[in-house]
Amino acid sequence: MRSEIIWGKWYTPLVRVIVHIIFWILVFCMYYFTYKRLGGSYFWVLVVKELFVTTSLFYSVIWLVSKWIEKRKVIPILIFIAFSYIWWLNITYLTCDLLKDFELNKDSGIYKYVNFFIRDGYFGIYQLKKFPHVFPDFLTLVSVPLAPKLIRLLVAEGNKVLLLENKKTELELEKAELELAKANLELDKTNLERDNLKMELEILKSQISPHFLFNTLNSIYRLAEKGEPSTPNTIMKLSNMLRYMLYQTNDDKIFIAKEIQFLNDYLDLIQIRFGNNINLNFNLAKIKEPYRIVPLMLLPFIENAIKHGPERSRKDAWVDVSLTVDAGVLKFVVANGVNKNSTEPPKGGIGLKNVKRRLELRYKDRYKLDESDNLNSYSVVLEIEL
């Protein structure tokens, strides 16, 4: 597989065998013609010696050096080069020591070659004065045949590193594409959630208008039944309130002064409806700063107080409403008396449940709602960070 990546699919096992055969034939020819110049009948012993040394080192490169190159270990490779030189010196010395017992022509080059290596004994081959003469032979006879193998291993390792880098780049690209796809999915999810929340808020707002209209028309109906002279004025106030609900509450948030005016009109309707039969205390402070609030957020609390207070029983009935803003925090308090001996109003209203849901959607962690249900009273304290 690695050979195909480096050299192509043409480098089959058969081609590899043929290449090796040609390589060793060329190496043999190099040794043959190198030592043939020394003359004599025994030069072939030196040829065999070189083939033995080169073969042993060549296949050591395959098993050892290739692993060191792959692991990028420089010191073991340098030690192997030093060992190769010592290995070649020792085999050459032993071969020359063997040839000295042969009848060599003293005028031949092979005799001089053998004598050069053995005349100073074994340790003489390590003398520095011989190094300039011996080392070039080592480079020529051993390093040249090993060079193609080393080059091939270096190319293979370089190609492997390149492939790994390409693979790493591809994986990083795939990871980036997955992250982008994930981000797009998260964005789509966020957009969907936003659209769902927007739709839910619109539904909740649409529920407020019928609920409020039903309660107010019911009050006007009772006034008309009694022939109250304030009925036309009440209808005008209702008209102004409906205009506010239809045209002013389409914005996401409105100035709180407009919301307070709306509540004042509603409370006036309540006052007209119940007259002086109950104790109604309204304290809605005038806000100077242009604070904004989600429209129709406060009305359901007042409606709930009326429903469970005066509408349930007018005996000892009372309603207190106050609104203040301090340091950007709105505080809205609604309390009412409860005659628990009277008939309890029907359950299932959507007003208070509706507004609690809207508070959670629009103000999340920026509001606090406390409810207190006592023996003869019920109160709500709402605080909102505007």
Side-chain angles (χ1 to χ4, degrees), residues 209 239-250 296:
S209 298
S239 176
N240 292 333
M241 295 175 67
L242 290 176
R243 185 178 296 109
Y244 171 81
M245 297 177 69
L246 290 173
Y247 301 112
Q248 299 294 322
T249 61
N250 291 328
L296 303 178

Side-chain angles (χ1 to χ4, degrees), residues 9 19 70 80 82 103-104 150 158 202 232 237 242 247 274 292 295 297 307 315 318 329 344 386:
K9 294 184 178 180
V19 170
E70 183 177 352
F80 177 80
E103 296 181 1
L104 302 176
L150 289 173
E202 291 300 324
K237 286 184 176 293
L242 290 176
Y247 301 112
F274 291 103
R292 291 177 176 271
M297 187 70 76
K307 176 182 177 181
K315 182 181 179 181
W318 58 271
V329 177
E344 188 174 351
L386 299 176

Side-chain angles (χ1 to χ4, degrees), residues 28-266:
F28 173 79
C29 292
M30 182 183 72
Y31 293 154
Y32 178 82
F33 290 109
T34 297
Y35 286 109
K36 184 174 174 47
R37 292 180 301 170
L38 298 177
S41 303
Y42 301 105
F43 73 92
W44 58 267
V45 177
L46 296 176
V47 174
V48 173
K49 181 265 295 185
E50 295 297 345
L51 286 174
F52 171 75
V53 173
T54 304
T55 303
S56 61
L57 294 176
F58 183 89
Y59 290 103
S60 296
V61 167
I62 295 177
W63 296 106
L64 296 176
V65 179
S66 61
K67 296 180 180 179
W68 293 334
I69 292 176
E70 183 177 352
K71 296 179 180 179
R72 296 174 178 80
K73 293 184 177 181
V74 178
I75 295 178
I77 295 176
L78 296 176
I79 294 175
F80 177 80
I81 294 173
F83 169 79
S84 299
Y85 176 66
I86 295 173
W87 175 247
W88 178 80
L89 278 179
N90 280 269
I91 298 300
T92 301
Y93 177 83
L94 293 175
T95 303
C96 291
D97 188 60
L98 176 66
L99 286 174
K100 74 178 179 15
D101 296 330
F102 287 75
E103 296 181 1
L104 302 176
N105 186 352
K106 294 184 179 182
D107 296 327
S108 63
I110 192 170
Y111 177 81
K112 295 177 182 179
Y113 184 85
V114 170
N115 186 60
F116 174 80
F117 274 94
I118 65 173
R119 67 187 176 193
D120 296 320
Y122 173 74
F123 293 102
I125 60 178
Y126 298 104
Q127 294 176 355
L128 291 178
K129 65 180 182 179
K130 289 187 177 183
F131 182 80
H133 303 283
V134 175
F135 192 71
D137 281 354
F138 167 75
L139 290 178
T140 303
L141 299 174
V142 178
S143 299
V144 171
L146 291 180
K149 186 63 178 177
L150 289 173
I151 292 173
R152 181 179 180 275
L153 290 175
L154 290 173
V155 171
E157 184 59 26
N159 189 75
K160 182 180 178 181
V161 171
L162 182 60
L163 290 175
L164 289 176
E165 289 296 328
N166 290 338
K167 189 66 176 178
K168 182 179 178 181
T169 303
E170 290 176 0
L171 290 175
E172 290 178 352
L173 181 60
E174 291 178 0
K175 182 179 178 181
E177 290 176 349
L178 288 174
E179 290 293 333
L180 180 60
K182 183 179 178 180
N184 289 332
L185 287 175
E186 290 294 330
L187 180 60
D188 292 340
K189 181 180 178 182
T190 301
N191 290 334
L192 182 60
E193 290 177 350
R194 181 198 62 192
D195 294 340
N196 288 339
L197 287 176
K198 185 177 180 180
M199 183 182 300
E200 185 174 355
L201 285 170
E202 291 300 324
I203 293 173
L204 291 173
K205 185 186 290 186
S206 68
Q207 290 176 343
I208 288 176
S209 298
H211 184 72
F212 164 74
L213 185 59
F214 174 80
N215 287 340
T216 306
L217 287 176
N218 187 49
S219 298
I220 294 175
Y221 173 76
R222 291 182 180 179
L223 289 175
E225 270 190 330
K226 296 178 181 180
E228 292 286 346
S230 60
T231 303
N233 186 42
T234 306
I235 295 174
M236 182 59 68
K237 286 184 176 293
L238 176 60
S239 176
N240 292 333
M241 295 175 67
L242 290 176
R243 185 178 296 109
Y244 171 81
M245 297 177 69
L246 290 173
Y247 301 112
Q248 299 294 322
T249 61
N250 291 328
D251 296 334
D252 184 56
K253 289 185 179 181
I254 61 171
F255 288 115
I256 195 170
K258 293 183 178 181
E259 185 75 3
I260 291 175
Q261 181 60 48
F262 172 79
L263 294 179
N264 276 320
D265 288 342
Y266 177 78

